[in-house]
Amino acid sequence: MNDIQLAVEGVTKRFGGVVANDNITLAVPRGHIVGLIGPNGSGKTTLFNSIVGYHPVDEGSIQFEGLEISRKRVIEIARLGMIRTFQQTHIYGKMTCMENMTVSVPHRNEGFARMFARFTPDIFEKAEHLLEFVGLYPKRYLLAGDLSFGQQKLLEFAMALMTEPKMLLLDEPTAGINPTLINGLIERLQRANADLGITLFVIEHNMRVIMNLAESIYCLAHGQLLAFGTPEEIQQDQTVIDAYLGAH
Amino acid sequence: MNSDGKKIVAYGGILVLALAAPWMMTAYRTQLAFLWVMVLFALTWDLVGGQMGYASFGNIVFFGVGMYSTAVIQRNLHYGLEEYAHVAGRVESLSAAEYLTGLSLGMTVGAVAAVVIAAILGVCILAMGMRGPYFGICTLGLGVAAGELASGWEYVGAGSGLVTPVFPEGLGERAIFFYYIFFFLTIVTFFTLRRLYSGRFGLAINAIRDDEDKAEAMGIRTTRYKITAWCVSAFFLSLTGGAAGHLIGFIDPTEVAFAGPTFGVWMILMAILGGKGTLWGPVIGAVIFHVTQEVFWTYLFGWQRVALGAFIVAIVVFFPQGLMGWAQERWPERFGHRVEGTALAQTAGGEGA
Amino acid sequence: MDNLQILFVAPVFSLQLLIDGILIGAVFALAAYGMALVWGVMKIINFAQGEFVILGGFLLYALKEAGLHPFLGVPVATAALFVIGWVIYRIAVVRVVEKDLFISILATFGIAILLQQLMNQIFGADVQTVESGLGTWFLLDGQVTVLQIKVVSFFIAMVLGVILALFLKMTRLGQAIRATAQHFRAAQILGVDTDRVYAITFALNAAICGAAGALVSMIWVIQPFMGLAYTIRSFMIVIVAGLGNVIGVALAGLGLGAAENFAGFILGAEFQAAFIFSLLVVILLWRNFRLSLKRQYLE
């Protein structure tokens, strides 16, 4: 746990009178898969949004690879190598899957002239390889908007990989995906982590998924950090069980 | 014949036809020159309005800026401000060399001015994240305000406008001269856009059109792309305006230069008619629109502007996807949108939720 | 800018400009209220708004020429615009009402051009005005003059606005319109005929504009190509006041009338249109700046 890639310290975020995140402190070590769970409305997505820069935090600090990012904007943070996916899919609907992939090449260090560059064969190769990886290769020339919701989620995941991220923040990657396909997705997430060395920080509602996937899990409830531990510890934790069952 | 061969034949055919057109239809040379102006309108509008999804109602600003800059440079180069009013319109005003110098210098200055203005507007409007209908209406305001300002600005002739120098002898016929200028400009614009759309730039602005928030979340420098696209559009539109002012000969601030209700709306309409967001759509739309307007509506005796209004409503209401959009819906395979390979079974993507 | 000094030398002139501006502003507010209604209920920014206004004015002009007293002509023009609005909805607007905003703006913009050209063809391109037959009040020893028709039209505009607001609040149809504005899917499920609601909303808006235009033709001038300025004024007022804020629309309308009158006097009449459209750009930039201060986030 020495190499902390993402460090969130004392982050508080209020919307009007509602405290969505209250003094949250957590750490994501490099190369690990960390889960974030909690009942609906516990502030998970708000925390993600704070981390990737959709809104400024009221208090606290967020550091990515030692760099303070709590005042940076979405684009800057994305270019540092931290990419998030969405609960509701966001893909480019009127472009083909291949175009969705190729446009997602890393935009780090892109000079003015690079904006007008052509795509090189290795970019197409990589895009096809990643589409193959998520199982969308045969559909690579279809318009992304014509894919089913589950396929769009897979495409979004592949697009995120295309940017060569250092860390992925996945917001409910299995929500809306056909249950028979979930095992395949878990395996892909694990391979992305193991083979490509990408740190994963995952919000997930499906307990079976997160217990299989994550090495350690944070649990939020009512905007506060409730528990932290290995999947086994979390499963045993009485406060977590109470939170999910609605007891206080 | 392979597809590259077909393309070369097609492009060659268009080239020959376009070069020969003014000699085949000698009575319509000016209208033919305007055909390319229309194509340029539609192409430059579509770059921002179609490909990038930022529907502008005020691109006409750059047309007017180019037109006025060129005319003012031409004037200042050869006449004093005072003497201009008396000299302009006289046959022996300028020699061919003087005319060309003024025209080319003026168009260059106009293009630079338009790009600078586009960049400044881009920083004020696009970089601040103005989108959708607010962007459209803001640009509409800019277009009309520009026309009104020009109408009140004495230096550029105010409400009575500017007269460009009489076309000199030694350059052939005026309509033919400008026909080839506009045709050349169209070719340059078309292939520049084709090149831009085929690489990073094209896909990035398409991504901005489809989901700008996602593009930001993926680290695409959206602001820079948006402003650049706006500047490219302004550049070519300003060149068009510079030459168009000299073809028309008389620059009225609101009827010719910043003609929002005519040129300003037509450029949007032609792109939509052909299919916005495609390379060929604006070209096809402009040709159909211009030919329809020139050929049929001369028979409508004064009602042609009413018919034009009805035509605009009809296209937008009944045919908003345009010809290319319609063709893509009808024959998606022709445009390459098909499933390839059969290895569906082993993939998770084969079945979605 | 010399006129600016006049305002300091003779402050009473400011009073004159203020009164005139506010009286005209009521008409702007009325048209803006109609735009807010259509925008809120149908999610359409109606770019033919100004043409409806001008058309109302020309109808009053035609009725006056036919021998009708102008004050009797106002309700007739209003009713005629209601029918015209209904027909335009049925033919064209119904097909763009649930499409994206760009298409509906462009479609109504096309309708605007069509109406402009029709009016130009039928009534000619000349500037027209309708003589109301009312006199003038002289205040402060004749230093300030107030046309009685402006006062009358101010009150007619205000009363129409109040009637419309009460209609939306009190009647069953008004409630259906408001329900559709809040959530058209839910309203549909609860048995509201949203198509009919849209038709009535659009026709009502046209009628309001017709009334506003009839008033404009008596207090000011009309011309077939003057419509866009009214559309833009309505749009600015709605942007500043916000959708569904009746009091705000009224105040913004009066403020705009006053601001425009002062600007027209100080900058010169030839820059009045430039002022309106520049103000539009400034207001949009200001709105955008305020929005960008709070970063948006999405789910």
Side-chain angles (χ1 to χ4, degrees):
Chain A
M1 292 285 259
N2 287 332
D3 190 6
I4 301 299
Q5 198 169 13
L6 175 69
V8 175
E9 276 171 29
V11 162
T12 298
K13 176 69 195 171
R14 299 182 201 91
F15 290 111
V18 183
V19 184
N21 288 147
D22 185 8
N23 196 19
I24 305 280
T25 298
L26 52 79
V28 180
R30 188 185 302 277
H32 281 231
I33 302 180
V34 176
L36 181 63
I37 62 169
N40 287 329
S42 58
K44 304 182 297 292
T45 300
T46 303
L47 184 62
F48 261 33
N49 283 334
S50 297
I51 292 171
V52 300
Y54 274 108
H55 42 55
V57 296
D58 294 317
E59 283 160 34
S61 91
I62 302 168
Q63 295 197 335
F64 180 66
E65 303 196 320
L67 192 68
E68 181 66 36
I69 58 168
S70 59
R71 293 278 142 204
K72 287 191 184 296
R73 282 172 177 268
V74 176
I75 302 190
E76 299 168 281
I77 293 170
R79 282 202 296 268
L80 290 175
M82 183 156 69
I83 298 286
R84 64 91 57 96
T85 66
F86 297 87
Q87 217 168 324
Q88 297 300 318
T89 58
H90 281 266
I91 41 92
Y92 310 122
K94 291 196 174 131
M95 297 159 67
T96 65
C97 295
M98 274 302 273
E99 288 171 341
N100 270 270
M101 293 299 289
T102 47
V103 78
S104 303
V105 292
H107 286 263
R108 265 162 251 152
N109 314 319
E110 182 192 56
F112 190 75
R114 290 283 291 157
M115 285 169 62
F116 305 104
R118 287 179 195 277
F119 293 108
T120 48
D122 57 295
I123 291 174
F124 290 114
E125 214 166 279
K126 191 177 156 205
E128 289 183 347
H129 174 75
L130 283 171
L131 283 174
E132 177 75 54
F133 177 65
V134 297
L136 287 174
Y137 182 76
K139 307 214 167 198
R140 66 193 185 282
Y141 294 121
L142 287 185
L143 295 184
D146 293 342
L147 299 180
S148 72
F149 182 75
Q151 291 167 338
Q152 290 184 358
K153 283 214 125 160
L154 291 168
L155 175 63
E156 200 181 6
F157 175 53
M159 286 158 70
L161 294 180
M162 189 79 189
T163 66
E164 297 169 7
K166 294 173 184 161
M167 179 186 275
L168 278 182
L169 276 66
L170 305 168
D171 197 343
E172 300 200 27
T174 65
I177 290 199
N178 188 332
T180 58
L181 302 173
I182 286 181
N183 284 339
L185 183 65
I186 295 177
E187 185 218 336
R188 288 191 178 87
L189 290 173
Q190 282 168 334
R191 272 175 58 196
N193 174 251
D195 300 352
L196 305 170
I198 300 168
T199 314
L200 299 181
F201 189 26
V202 187
I203 293 180
E204 189 50 71
H205 263 305
N206 187 328
M207 284 303 140
R208 187 178 65 81
V209 170
I210 200 70
M211 294 304 162
N212 279 322
L213 187 67
E215 294 157 71
S216 55
I217 295 175
Y218 288 92
C219 178
L220 293 185
H222 301 292
Q224 290 174 326
L225 193 60
L226 196 63
F228 167 66
T230 62
E232 293 74 29
E233 289 166 356
I234 289 289
Q235 273 171 309
Q236 309 290 318
D237 194 310
Q238 194 55 42
T239 55
V240 174
I241 297 166
D242 286 346
Y244 269 88
L245 295 178
H248 291 280
Chain B
M1 196 187 286
N2 61 21
S3 75
D4 273 352
K6 276 185 194 163
K7 260 186 201 157
I8 289 169
V9 170
Y11 280 126
I14 292 172
L15 180 69
V16 170
L17 196 66
L19 288 175
W23 307 100
M24 297 193 298
M25 291 179 274
T26 48
Y28 298 102
R29 282 173 178 162
T30 307
Q31 285 91 328
L32 284 171
F34 264 100
L35 175 66
W36 297 117
V37 176
M38 294 293 160
V39 172
L40 283 161
F41 276 155
L43 277 173
T44 52
W45 184 84
D46 193 60
L47 167 61
V48 174
Q51 297 280 355
M52 198 167 77
Y54 271 73
S56 155
F57 288 90
N59 265 16
I60 195 73
V61 167
F62 306 119
F63 181 74
V65 164
M67 191 177 266
Y68 267 110
S69 307
T70 310
V72 167
I73 295 280
Q74 182 81 283
R75 176 189 76 185
N76 293 1
L77 209 55
H78 304 298
Y79 310 102
L81 199 52
E82 293 305 312
E83 117 191 75
Y84 171 70
H86 311 288
V87 180
R90 283 225 311 272
V91 183
E92 67 281 4
S93 303
L94 287 183
S95 75
E98 284 175 328
Y99 186 86
L100 286 181
T101 315
L103 184 63
S104 47
L105 187 67
M107 282 169 70
T108 313
V109 172
V112 172
V115 169
V116 170
I117 291 171
I120 292 171
L121 290 178
V123 170
C124 295
I125 297 172
L126 292 170
M128 299 295 289
M130 195 187 289
R131 293 183 193 181
Y134 298 99
F135 172 79
I137 293 168
C138 187
T139 52
L140 175 78
L142 286 171
V144 180
E148 294 294 338
L149 287 175
S151 304
W153 191 11
E154 283 300 331
Y155 182 70
V156 297
S160 48
L162 281 179
V163 180
T164 53
V166 167
F167 195 72
E169 294 192 21
L171 289 175
E173 193 184 322
R174 165 164 147 152
I176 292 182
F177 176 79
F178 282 104
Y179 176 88
Y180 287 112
I181 284 194
F182 286 124
F183 178 55
F184 177 70
L185 195 54
T186 306
I187 290 179
V188 173
T189 308
F190 182 86
F191 285 97
T192 306
L193 294 182
R194 202 174 97 114
R195 169 64 188 81
L196 286 179
Y197 295 161
S198 71
R200 265 178 189 241
F201 185 85
L203 288 192
I205 61 175
N206 284 166
I208 290 170
R209 172 195 65 194
D210 282 2
D211 193 335
E212 189 169 342
D213 293 320
K214 173 68 176 175
E216 281 186 11
M218 297 294 277
I220 299 177
R221 289 174 166 84
T222 49
T223 303
R224 199 199 269 179
Y225 278 103
K226 285 192 290 186
I227 295 178
T228 309
W230 184 239
C231 289
V232 172
S233 173
F235 176 79
F236 288 112
L237 201 46
S238 168
L239 291 177
T240 311
H246 277 60
L247 171 62
I248 297 166
F250 168 66
I251 301 174
D252 183 279
T254 53
E255 298 284 312
V256 178
F258 299 102
T262 52
F263 298 150
V265 176
W266 295 354
M267 60 174 83
I268 306 172
L269 194 75
M270 293 182 294
I272 288 184
L273 176 61
K276 67 182 158 75
T278 58
L279 181 61
W280 277 101
V283 180
I284 296 168
V287 172
I288 293 176
F289 182 86
H290 188 62
V291 170
T292 313
Q293 192 198 350
E294 291 292 333
V295 174
F296 297 110
W297 291 348
T298 40
Y299 301 108
L300 287 168
F301 304 111
W303 286 85
Q304 67 268 44
R305 296 214 154 208
V306 179
L308 189 67
F311 189 49
I312 292 173
V313 178
I315 289 173
V316 177
V317 170
F318 295 100
F319 203 52
Q321 79 274 39
L323 284 169
M324 293 296 277
W326 173 79
Q328 280 186 9
E329 275 171 32
R330 186 85 176 65
W331 301 288
E333 329 76 55
R334 291 267 176 101
F335 293 85
H337 304 317
R338 59 181 176 268
V339 180
E340 286 201 349
T342 48
L344 279 169
Q346 46 117 16
T347 67
E351 293 253 343
Chain C
M1 286 294 163
D2 299 340
N3 286 354
L4 192 56
Q5 286 178 330
I6 296 176
L7 293 184
F8 287 109
V9 177
V12 73
F13 214 87
S14 301
L15 185 64
Q16 174 79 63
L17 289 173
L18 187 68
I19 290 172
D20 276 344
I22 285 178
L23 292 180
I24 287 166
V27 179
F28 297 168
L30 188 60
Y33 190 21
M35 175 176 268
L37 184 66
V38 166
W39 194 343
V41 176
M42 304 171 72
K43 315 292 178 251
I44 281 182
I45 303 175
N46 177 30
F47 255 69
Q49 195 79 354
E51 276 64 31
F52 288 162
V53 171
I54 301 295
L55 187 57
F58 269 113
L59 284 180
L60 187 72
Y61 170 77
L63 290 167
K64 171 87 187 310
E65 293 289 292
L68 199 66
H69 189 276
F71 288 122
L72 292 176
V74 173
V76 178
T78 308
L81 257 291
F82 185 89
V83 175
I84 293 171
W86 184 287
V87 171
I88 289 178
Y89 173 79
R90 277 281 161 243
I91 294 175
V93 179
V94 67
R95 286 166 228 277
V96 295
V97 74
E98 270 147 33
K99 298 237 174 81
D100 62 280
L101 260 169
F102 167 64
I103 289 294
S104 61
I105 288 179
L106 199 56
T108 51
F109 204 41
I111 293 169
I113 292 175
L114 180 60
L115 289 176
Q116 279 171 15
Q117 298 296 346
L118 271 174
M119 286 188 282
N120 184 34
Q121 207 66 25
I122 296 169
F123 301 108
D126 292 337
V127 173
Q128 304 287 4
T129 183
V130 174
E131 188 50 59
S132 65
L134 293 185
T136 310
W137 283 316
F138 296 93
L139 307 176
L140 300 174
D141 301 329
Q143 291 185 71
V144 174
T145 57
V146 180
L147 289 177
Q148 287 167 10
I149 181 62
K150 285 189 181 172
V151 178
V152 171
S153 84
F154 178 87
F155 282 108
I156 293 177
M158 285 297 164
V159 166
L160 281 176
V162 170
I163 289 175
L164 185 63
L166 288 176
F167 165 77
L168 290 176
K169 257 217 157 71
M170 303 296 188
T171 65
R172 191 124 185 90
L173 184 59
Q175 285 167 349
I177 291 175
R178 288 194 303 146
T180 311
Q182 277 182 15
H183 203 300
F184 99 99
R185 204 60 81 190
Q188 247 173 357
I189 291 166
L190 293 173
V192 175
D193 181 354
T194 50
D195 182 53
R196 184 160 156 271
V197 164
Y198 287 158
I200 289 171
T201 306
F202 199 78
L204 262 182
N205 168 47
I208 297 170
C209 291
L215 298 176
V216 167
S217 71
M218 289 190 286
I219 60 178
W220 228 351
V221 292
I222 47 166
Q223 198 261 341
F225 299 102
M226 274 182 176
L228 185 60
Y230 287 92
T231 305
I232 294 303
R233 286 179 184 122
S234 301
F235 181 77
M236 287 194 284
I237 292 168
V238 177
I239 290 281
V240 171
L243 284 176
N245 177 358
V246 184
I247 307 290
V249 165
L251 291 178
L254 302 184
L256 177 65
E260 222 180 86
N261 230 20
F262 276 98
F265 181 72
I266 295 167
L267 301 172
E270 71 269 29
F271 283 112
Q272 188 160 359
F275 170 76
I276 297 170
F277 289 92
S278 308
L279 185 65
L280 165 73
V281 175
V282 171
I283 284 176
L284 282 171
L285 288 174
W286 163 78
R287 172 190 174 277
N288 209 55
F289 177 70
R290 270 192 21 199
L291 282 180
S292 74
L293 284 183
K294 34 184 168 173
R295 284 186 240 174
Q296 77 267 42
Y297 74 105
L298 74 173
E299 280 303 307

